[in-house]
Amino acid sequence: MIGSPSEGRAEPGGTGDLAKVAAPPARRPMHRDPAALLLGLLWAAAAVLGVLRVDGFALDDFFITYRYAWNLLAGDGFVFNPGERVFGTTAPGMGLLVAAASAITRLPISHAAPWVSGAALWSLAWLLLAEGRERGRTAEAAAAGTLIVTSSFLWVHVGAEGPVALALLLGAARAAGRRPVLAGLLAGFAVWCRPDAGLGVAALGLLLWRERGRLPWRFGVTGGAVIAAGLAAARWWFGRWLPGTLEAKRLQAEWMPEIWAGGLTFWGEGLRSLRTLYVGPGVMLLVVLGLAGLVSLAVLGDRAHRLLAAYALALAVAYPLLGVAYYAWYAIPIVIGLLAGAAYACGWVARRAYRFCGGTAAGRWVAAAALLLLAVPLGGELARRSAGLYLAPGTSPRYELYRHVGGWLRENAPAGEAVSYVEVGMIGYYSRRPVRDLLGLVTPDAIPWVERGDLVGGFLAAPTPWIVYDTALHGFMQPLREAPWFEGAYREVVHFRHPGNGEELILYRRRPGAELPPPPGPAAQPPSR
Amino acid sequence: MFAWLLDLAPGLWVIGISVALVVGLRRWFDRVPWAAAGVYLGVVAVLYGPALFGGRVLLAVDNLRGVVPFTGLAAAEPPGNHLQGDQVLELAPLQAEVRRAVRRGEWPLWTPATGGGAPLLGVPESQALQPLVWAALPLPLPRAAGAVAALRVVVALVFLHLLLARLGAAPWAAAAGALAYGLGGFLQLWLGWPRANVAAWLPALLYAVVVAEAHGRRRDLLLLTLAAAAVLLGGDADAAGYALIAAAALAVARVARRRAAERARPLLVQGAALALAFGLAAPALLPAAEMVPRTPEAYALDGRASTELRTDPLGMVTLADSGRRAAALGATFDRLLPALAPNAQGNNRYGRYWGPSNSNEDAAVFAGTAVLLLALYAAGARLREAWRRRSPTAASHRTAVPAAAAGALQHEALFLALAAVALLVVARPPILAQLLDHLPYLGPSPVFHQRVGLLFVLAVAALAASGIGRLSAVAAAPRRLVPLGPLAAVLGVVIVGAYLANHPGDGSFGWGLTARWMAIQTGALGAAVAAVAPIQRPDRRALALCLVIAAELALLHGPANPSLPRRLYYPASEPVALLQAAATAEPGARFAGLDGAFPPLVPAVYGLADPRSRARTVALDYHRLVEPILAEGGAALSFRDPAHPLWDLLGVRWVLAPPGSEVPGLRLLFDHPDGRVYERPGALPLLFLPESAEAHRADRPWPERVAAIDDFRRTAISQSLPGGGAEWRSGGPGRVEIGAVEPARVTAASELDAERLLATSIYQDGGWRMLLDGEPHPTVLANGPLVAAWLPEGRHRIELVYRPAGFRRGMLLAALSLAVLLTWLGRPGWP
């Protein structure tokens, strides 16, 4: 882990840099290096195992994109609800990729998507290894790659577009030297996968400009053309340039800041959720080490390292400024950056300790001890969580219930009858029925009601025959069920109860001929914005 | 007749151990001058003399006054320090339990005296394996309290003297530093708490680091291992962490002076010694690592860390809001103030404190005014030299006199950095407050690591010794006076200003005390300057400064630890005597106080088992179990509603209530002006056989279900049922007869016509095992976190034994470490 003595001596004496070496040693190409190939194989095995373990476990929001992909393959076009051209996914590129993967492999969308994620994680690790080897930091790169490929946080977000977009960006950074057109294509498609990758494209453009002292016009023109094509396509198909989810998530942060943190508390919620779900009490150690490593990579690393650092840091600043509510998958590129940064920072500490001890054999033990002291509080919890993922993967009881509800609706609800709820991905995907999203992600006409904090009004604006009610989310749905008209207008049809935590989902159906009041407010129409 | 001889015992014991320590150190390590040792013993005798030689008690036992059954106790004059309530309400009872176990020849594994029982080794505050506590085991607890306190101070004084002398301080300069630390705020204000163990051993640890690096002899490494183990066994994980950080910093600073190729070996050897220390301390550390995270306090801290992170990440919300920012910065300043003027915001000891926390917590960072003056002098000189060396414009300054040649202590810069970092942590500006909650290894602390003030006091004491050394290098009196005089004047003005500016001025706090404190502090400044200016011989000057430092700190901190009359030490009133007799006749039966009577854990001193507890000695599971009967309160878990079935489950046979109070439904057993004893006939024995049971369900939290049971004789909630069903009903009669009830072992005999559930009111932390007819038998949980087991029909011998996994692993590690240590030390010709 700590590099060879010759690597240590190759560095400018004690300058304190994390990544720079005076003269990168000549190395065999990656595909001819048995150690690199072995590592690549191990990562591939870990990724395949990860895919098999989390198959079908994606978070609800990702099923929104899956439903777009499913409808595309079904011939209904790239839409969430057939016939409604609503730009309700932030990951159209991911949707297209997943659709393509499904079409090629004949796997269902929800089973094809994990393979795309696994491939993205492996690619990230491989790209970082390539970059690290060239800079004489193979051990750090190997550690970073291993942390990424085995990260339970990233596998929990299987199906997310973040790793794909980041892998495309890093690939672009690696390719930009000799193949600027390919780099532009990759970078442009990264923006299709996730619009905020635009920050990464801009950062890569600036890096190339700074490296060469002239405008990287081939990269810029190609990347710009791909992005422009995406925007034009979105405008043509959906009637808008960008996804409508941005506005919906901003409104969420304004409506219930205690649940949906935004602004100054955006990363507070991020740190809290990382602490609870991933890193444990050592979260600050990850942040401090990761930031130290990232800053150093940004200053002294090679292009892909710098891009990783710049992109992660830019996102860290941008999200609070955007005012959107925190969702854990926003943190994916930043977590990847922190993991890589922490690996490099640990490597720096170990190398410093080794040099401090004069590069002697005993100095290796001191370096190993220093590394251990840093790695134990951080790596222990990460390893435990990763082991938990591989040994006993599981999904949220609620998601299991959503799957059952979706399946039940598909078998029992008449085609074309819509269902209303606040988490619409899985229910929509599995039910194949139109879904009205009371939080407005895929239902733009609900957004004005979200702005008012009035889910009942949003429902009454376009009532559906079916309603899903979740006992664990009663804070959202309770006003609807407690509305005076509800009892007379809807009846309970089926009741799903999770045997583990007792969470219950109830499906209500509108009584035949039941009258509903108009939506509250000064006018029956939703307020215009 | 010979009571006065017994009264002398603690003092003679302390003197004996101290002399043995000094002799041993002189023989195998460095020489502590007998004169300095005499001064140290003299100071200890002055401060704690009444407890060491006069038969008084160095425990704030008058905190018991006013509480049933101690309402009749007359006040002591001077009164005890009510800030030291923990000592009497928590620490001494735990000590009593440890002593009981040791006297029985057992490991102090379990105490049945609190809650449903609690792991003694798992509660760090019990200090169950702390060498200083064990050193006083031959003395009875009331006499041992003073002896342990005195030993803490002596060990701190002696080892800091040796450390400073090793780092280049002259004998009396070292003594001045030692006195500053030993009589400083941290050790004196926390003297009765476990963290004082760490404060006592910290100088020994640092001294061991220095000698181990310098010589690497076997005895040096042995000292390092033992000192580190003593620090780890101190009973305060936070303070031990700070001590280890300081030791690591010093170790690195020491080896940094060597050639690069020679650095690794001493670091590795010292690291190995530290690892062995962890191994030796493992029998206490591992059970604590299992228990502490289960306490409500740990959960609350974890919740705080998580919530703060969510609502105010890195203080950004505070910094963005002008009102909150101003308040946070004001609090930061208030936390710093006691380092300069410890009583500027009052003192709880004298009735009122208006600082951020309490005067113990905040003023523990105070090391003395004269000490501060000398430390500032050393720091100024150091910074000036550093600036001169780095100034590119003053080439001539690059050849400035090296620090050591100017009389400064080695590693002066390290102590300066330690002081600065520690002070920053104590000040806790907004961003730092949250970072501190997420430190690796240390984790969230109830006081945001404010007790790192320990390192501040140590560093300032060392800097003061360095300052004296620097002064000795200045021959001309005016040259000594020029920097010191104005510095003292500024300090004096700031201190007086702090007292005047912070005084409420509304008559709620007397000016007399304020004037006295101002006089002591400014007087110390004046005396220090007066000692420095005219006295030409450096050793006499240092001696004079020693006296100034000792006098100031004794005057300021002496009142914090008053000795109290022996009559106040847990007196046995008649109701208590009755309860003791009843408990002896009915093993396993418990008693509880009502309406604040007989605070939880205190009955442990009398050998009474009490299901109430305190937040640090109880697990959250047990807290959830008794939640329906918990009264409002802070650290103590007091009970209400004695008719509640949970009282039956917990086997509460007797209730002590305030005199004259009526407890409906209970039989009055004894009426006395000190309290009324009621009997609860419905109390269940420690082991019993419920008639039916329901299975625990993952989707239904057990606390609600247990709370809903109205008769625990009839029903229990069991973790599992025979055959995996949802309900079970007894198929025939049976009985269980309790035999021996020992803290970590309970025996019984059962005679059953059919399979039955054996339920208990013993808290299962995972360490209780059952032997049925001598063979291991599986246990389950019933009624929440209580031990239970399914017993087969027929006659059986039952033995419940407490053997926690952490202790077993710890003993294994300790044995392994001891073996390695002995092999290491016994290796011929090494090093």
Side-chain angles (χ1 to χ4, degrees):
Chain A
M1 292 293 286
I2 56 169
S4 67
S6 64
E7 284 174 356
R9 280 195 285 275
E11 292 173 304
T15 53
D17 56 345
L18 298 194
K20 190 170 66 177
V21 288
R27 288 179 185 276
R28 280 181 288 187
M30 289 269 279
H31 62 276
R32 288 190 187 165
D33 182 346
L37 286 175
L38 180 64
L39 199 55
L41 278 176
L42 287 174
W43 285 343
V48 169
L49 193 60
V51 169
L52 296 176
R53 299 304 278 172
V54 302
D55 194 13
F57 283 178
L59 303 185
D60 186 81
D61 279 54
F62 306 153
F63 277 84
I64 293 177
T65 305
Y66 294 179
R67 184 156 143 126
Y68 274 88
W70 194 89
N71 281 330
L72 179 66
L73 290 184
D76 291 326
F78 197 67
V79 293
F80 186 79
N81 287 326
E84 296 175 15
R85 292 191 182 186
V86 170
F87 200 175
T89 173
T90 45
M94 180 71 178
L96 295 175
L97 260 183
V98 170
S102 174
I104 293 165
T105 61
R106 301 287 173 191
L107 285 170
I109 295 283
S110 61
H111 295 281
W115 289 100
V116 175
S117 291
L121 292 181
W122 184 89
S123 305
L124 279 169
W126 188 253
L127 289 166
L128 287 173
L129 180 65
E131 193 87 350
R133 279 178 87 250
E134 288 169 11
R135 310 306 297 172
R137 289 293 178 271
T138 307
E140 286 90 335
T146 306
L147 285 172
I148 289 167
V149 171
T150 60
S151 164
S152 62
F153 179 82
L154 298 177
W155 283 111
V156 162
H157 293 99
V158 65
E161 65 277 12
V164 177
L166 186 56
L168 289 167
L169 283 174
L170 295 193
R174 296 277 302 162
R178 291 184 182 173
R179 298 174 186 166
V181 174
L182 175 64
L185 289 172
L186 292 173
F189 191 65
V191 180
W192 282 39
C193 285
R194 186 144 188 96
D196 59 30
L199 287 172
V201 177
L204 181 54
L206 289 173
L207 284 172
L208 290 170
W209 187 11
R210 187 166 171 265
E211 271 177 30
R212 297 170 184 178
R214 58 188 167 83
L215 280 175
W217 64 270
R218 281 185 190 153
F219 166 78
V221 167
T222 318
V226 174
I227 295 169
L231 289 171
R235 176 72 184 167
W236 167 68
W237 182 253
F238 296 116
R240 58 186 302 158
W241 301 104
L242 291 170
T245 50
L246 183 70
E247 184 59 16
K249 289 185 173 173
R250 262 192 206 150
L251 291 174
Q252 288 175 358
E254 286 172 16
W255 177 29
M256 288 192 185
E258 67 282 3
I259 294 177
W260 286 304
L264 280 175
T265 57
F266 183 94
W267 285 119
E269 176 59 20
L271 290 170
R272 191 202 62 79
S273 74
L274 278 179
R275 182 180 193 273
T276 312
L277 303 174
Y278 183 42
V279 192
V283 65
M284 279 297 178
L285 186 63
L286 174 67
V287 172
V288 170
L289 284 177
L291 279 178
L294 274 183
V295 169
S296 173
L297 286 176
V299 175
L300 302 161
D302 212 345
R303 192 187 305 131
H305 280 147
R306 288 180 174 178
L307 178 62
L308 172 65
Y311 181 46
L313 296 172
L315 286 183
V317 175
Y319 274 118
L321 294 178
L322 280 173
V324 295
Y326 174 82
Y327 282 90
W329 50 89
Y330 292 168
I332 286 175
I334 295 153
V335 168
I336 291 172
L338 290 177
L339 290 173
Y344 274 84
C346 287
W348 177 83
V349 170
R351 288 173 196 274
R352 288 290 297 182
Y354 179 62
R355 281 208 302 272
F356 177 75
C357 295
T360 57
R364 284 179 184 275
W365 288 99
V366 174
L371 194 60
L372 205 64
L373 280 174
L374 276 180
V376 163
L378 186 59
E381 186 67 13
L382 294 185
R384 196 180 69 81
R385 301 267 182 177
S386 293
L389 176 97
Y390 283 108
L391 298 175
T395 188
S396 153
R398 189 182 309 151
Y399 291 170
E400 287 180 26
L401 291 175
Y402 286 171
R403 198 174 310 191
H404 287 301
V405 169
W408 190 94
L409 282 168
R410 190 174 57 203
E411 287 171 10
N412 299 289
E417 283 202 353
V419 55
S420 288
Y421 192 47
V422 289
E423 282 195 310
V424 297
M426 295 181 94
I427 290 175
Y429 179 82
Y430 287 110
S431 71
R432 315 285 190 230
R433 299 290 177 272
V435 177
R436 182 170 172 77
D437 177 11
L438 297 178
L439 293 179
L441 292 182
V442 296
T443 310
D445 67 27
I447 287 181
W449 302 97
V450 176
E451 194 173 8
R452 287 183 177 184
D454 181 6
L455 252 58
V456 178
F459 173 77
L460 288 174
T464 54
W466 296 88
I467 295 173
V468 181
Y469 176 85
D470 184 348
T471 51
L473 293 177
H474 68 273
F476 293 100
M477 300 298 286
Q478 192 74 357
L480 196 61
R481 204 166 70 159
E482 285 178 351
W485 47 265
F486 186 85
E487 198 72 50
Y490 282 85
R491 65 183 174 84
E492 182 181 324
V493 176
V494 64
H495 198 107
F496 297 88
R497 184 169 186 279
H498 194 277
N501 69 349
E503 188 171 342
E504 291 176 334
L505 242 65
I506 305 166
L507 257 177
Y508 291 95
R509 190 175 190 193
R510 192 165 171 181
R511 296 176 194 276
E515 289 291 318
L516 291 176
Q525 294 297 316
S528 60
R529 288 178 52 74
Chain B
M1 184 177 164
F2 294 106
W4 64 273
L5 265 178
L6 283 177
D7 290 345
L8 290 177
L12 296 175
W13 187 246
V14 168
I15 289 172
I17 290 178
S18 305
V19 169
L21 176 70
V22 171
V23 168
L25 288 170
R26 287 172 70 96
R27 166 72 181 78
W28 287 297
F29 292 94
D30 290 331
R31 286 170 177 268
V32 184
W34 282 114
V39 169
Y40 299 153
L41 279 175
V43 166
V44 167
V46 168
L47 285 175
Y48 317 118
L52 295 176
F53 304 106
R56 290 168 75 93
V57 186
L58 197 66
L59 278 173
V61 277
D62 64 348
N63 277 279
L64 295 172
R65 283 182 56 246
V67 178
V68 174
F70 310 112
T71 44
L73 291 177
E77 192 53 48
N81 188 347
H82 74 271
L83 274 180
Q84 296 174 339
D86 282 356
Q87 292 179 15
V88 186
L89 302 176
E90 186 169 329
L91 300 173
L94 287 170
Q95 286 281 293
E97 283 295 281
V98 170
R99 288 167 158 262
R100 236 173 245 136
V102 173
R103 283 210 194 96
R104 277 194 304 268
E106 298 171 1
W107 287 101
L109 296 178
W110 185 261
T111 169
T114 177
L120 258 185
L121 274 177
V123 178
E125 286 78 12
S126 69
Q127 308 159 68
L129 302 181
Q130 169 53 227
L132 289 175
V133 172
W134 278 60
L137 274 183
L139 302 167
L141 186 54
R143 298 185 196 281
V148 171
L151 285 175
R152 283 171 179 152
V153 177
V154 168
V155 168
L157 288 168
V158 167
F159 276 105
L160 192 59
H161 182 111
L162 290 182
L163 172 70
L164 296 176
R166 267 275 166 177
L167 298 181
W172 286 114
L179 286 167
Y181 179 74
L183 306 186
F186 195 91
L187 194 54
Q188 288 303 313
L189 298 182
W190 291 122
L191 191 58
W193 275 266
R195 61 193 64 102
N197 295 322
V198 179
W201 287 113
L202 171 61
L205 177 63
L206 299 182
Y207 172 70
V209 165
V210 171
V211 291
E213 189 273 335
H215 306 300
R217 299 166 301 188
R218 298 174 202 193
R219 53 177 176 262
D220 302 328
L221 296 168
L222 180 65
L223 179 68
L224 180 57
T225 304
L226 296 180
V231 163
L232 292 170
L233 292 169
D236 189 308
D238 282 0
Y242 312 143
L244 292 180
I245 289 169
L250 183 60
V252 172
R254 293 293 295 176
V255 298
R257 304 182 324 156
R258 295 173 169 235
R259 284 178 42 236
E262 294 171 358
R263 289 170 180 165
R265 189 181 153 78
L267 281 178
L268 287 174
V269 171
Q270 291 179 45
L274 192 63
L276 289 176
F278 268 99
L280 291 180
L285 295 184
L286 295 190
E290 285 176 358
M291 173 64 185
V292 170
R294 294 179 182 171
T295 58
E297 189 179 65
Y299 275 86
L301 282 177
D302 196 59
R304 182 192 75 189
S306 189
T307 307
E308 286 283 312
L309 200 61
R310 163 72 167 76
T311 55
D312 188 12
L314 295 179
M316 283 192 291
V317 175
T318 298
L319 289 174
D321 181 297
S322 58
R324 288 175 67 169
R325 188 171 59 234
L329 293 177
T332 298
F333 175 77
D334 287 346
R335 281 188 287 270
L336 284 177
L337 186 59
L340 191 65
N343 297 321
Q345 299 173 102
N347 190 317
N348 297 94
R349 173 88 176 88
Y350 299 98
R352 197 170 160 218
Y353 182 70
W354 53 94
S357 180
N358 63 59
S359 50
N360 259 20
E361 200 71 74
D362 296 338
V365 80
F366 180 69
T369 325
V371 173
L372 205 57
L373 174 70
L374 293 164
L376 284 173
Y377 171 72
R382 177 82 199 184
L383 293 174
R384 202 166 53 246
E385 286 163 9
W387 182 80
R388 280 180 183 169
R389 272 200 297 274
R390 291 187 181 185
S391 170
T393 54
S396 59
H397 289 152
R398 288 181 198 171
T399 54
V401 184
L409 214 59
Q410 293 170 25
H411 307 300
E412 193 184 47
L414 174 70
F415 288 116
L416 195 54
L418 267 184
V421 171
L423 203 59
L424 186 67
V425 173
V426 169
R428 205 192 320 149
I431 293 176
L432 198 65
Q434 292 199 354
L435 272 177
L436 293 175
D437 252 354
H438 300 277
L439 288 176
Y441 297 107
L442 293 175
S445 132
V447 289
F448 295 92
H449 298 287
Q450 190 175 1
R451 290 166 193 164
V452 80
L454 164 68
L455 298 188
F456 178 76
V457 176
L458 177 96
V460 168
L463 287 173
S466 191
I468 295 174
R470 282 179 176 277
L471 285 170
S472 69
V474 182
R479 281 192 57 210
R480 290 195 297 273
L481 202 57
V482 164
L484 217 56
L487 192 57
V490 171
L491 262 183
V493 168
V494 173
I495 287 167
V496 171
Y499 275 102
L500 296 179
N502 281 281
H503 196 278
D506 56 4
S508 61
F509 197 83
W511 277 104
L513 275 172
T514 304
R516 185 176 141 199
W517 290 325
M518 281 195 293
I520 292 172
Q521 287 201 252
T522 50
L525 281 176
V529 174
V532 165
I535 303 177
Q536 282 303 319
R537 278 182 53 178
D539 55 340
R540 289 190 182 170
R541 197 186 309 139
L543 176 60
L545 286 169
C546 275
L547 296 177
V548 172
I549 289 168
E552 182 200 0
L553 292 175
L555 285 170
L556 282 173
H557 292 149
N561 296 299
S563 301
L564 297 178
R566 181 72 186 272
R567 65 178 170 80
L568 292 173
Y569 177 83
Y570 300 104
S573 61
E574 286 188 43
V576 174
L578 173 83
L579 288 168
Q580 283 177 305
T584 309
E586 201 172 328
R590 294 193 175 105
F591 123 95
L594 200 62
D595 297 335
F598 223 170
L601 258 179
V602 173
V605 176
Y606 300 89
L608 295 170
D610 178 356
R612 300 168 303 156
S613 191
R614 290 175 68 85
R616 276 181 292 213
T617 53
V618 72
L620 190 68
D621 280 347
Y622 184 79
H623 189 280
R624 285 186 182 139
L625 173 70
V626 299
E627 208 154 17
I629 53 172
L630 280 187
E632 298 281 329
L637 273 64
S638 296
F639 288 179
R640 60 178 171 76
D641 193 7
H644 197 284
L646 276 172
W647 287 69
D648 296 337
L649 172 68
L650 297 172
V652 183
R653 193 87 170 83
W654 308 281
V655 172
L656 181 67
S661 62
E662 295 293 337
V663 185
L666 303 191
R667 189 167 74 88
L668 181 63
L669 201 65
F670 185 61
D671 191 5
H672 188 270
D674 284 341
R676 282 183 162 187
V677 179
Y678 286 90
E679 190 179 23
R680 297 187 73 262
L684 285 161
L686 193 62
L687 313 181
F688 61 98
L689 302 167
E691 289 165 10
S692 66
E694 295 171 18
H696 167 65
R697 280 170 46 182
D699 61 324
R700 288 191 60 191
W702 61 259
E704 294 164 19
R705 298 182 70 196
V706 174
I709 295 175
D710 56 6
D711 186 352
F712 287 94
R713 271 180 198 79
R714 284 214 315 269
T715 312
I717 306 289
S718 173
Q719 186 183 15
S720 61
L721 299 183
E727 286 187 9
W728 165 89
R729 189 157 289 281
S730 151
R735 66 190 182 88
V736 62
E737 212 160 90
I738 298 173
V741 179
E742 296 163 13
R745 181 172 166 270
V746 178
T747 63
S750 67
E751 193 176 339
L752 310 173
D753 284 357
E755 188 177 29
R756 293 291 293 263
L757 176 68
L758 175 76
T760 74
S761 53
I762 300 171
Y763 170 69
Q764 172 63 295
D765 69 342
W768 283 97
R769 312 257 184 277
M770 177 179 275
L771 298 174
L772 195 69
D773 300 323
E775 296 295 321
H777 186 77
T779 61
V780 293
L781 294 177
N783 297 323
L786 306 177
V787 189
W790 288 96
L791 301 180
E793 62 175 296
R795 291 184 173 192
H796 299 287
R797 278 183 297 113
I798 300 165
E799 193 175 359
L800 275 165
V801 289
Y802 183 69
R803 294 288 178 273
F807 177 69
R808 282 184 284 137
R809 284 196 293 266
M811 289 302 278
L812 194 67
L813 269 177
L816 204 65
S817 303
L818 199 60
V820 171
L821 189 64
L822 293 176
T823 312
W824 194 18
L825 296 175
R827 202 171 136 196
W830 184 92

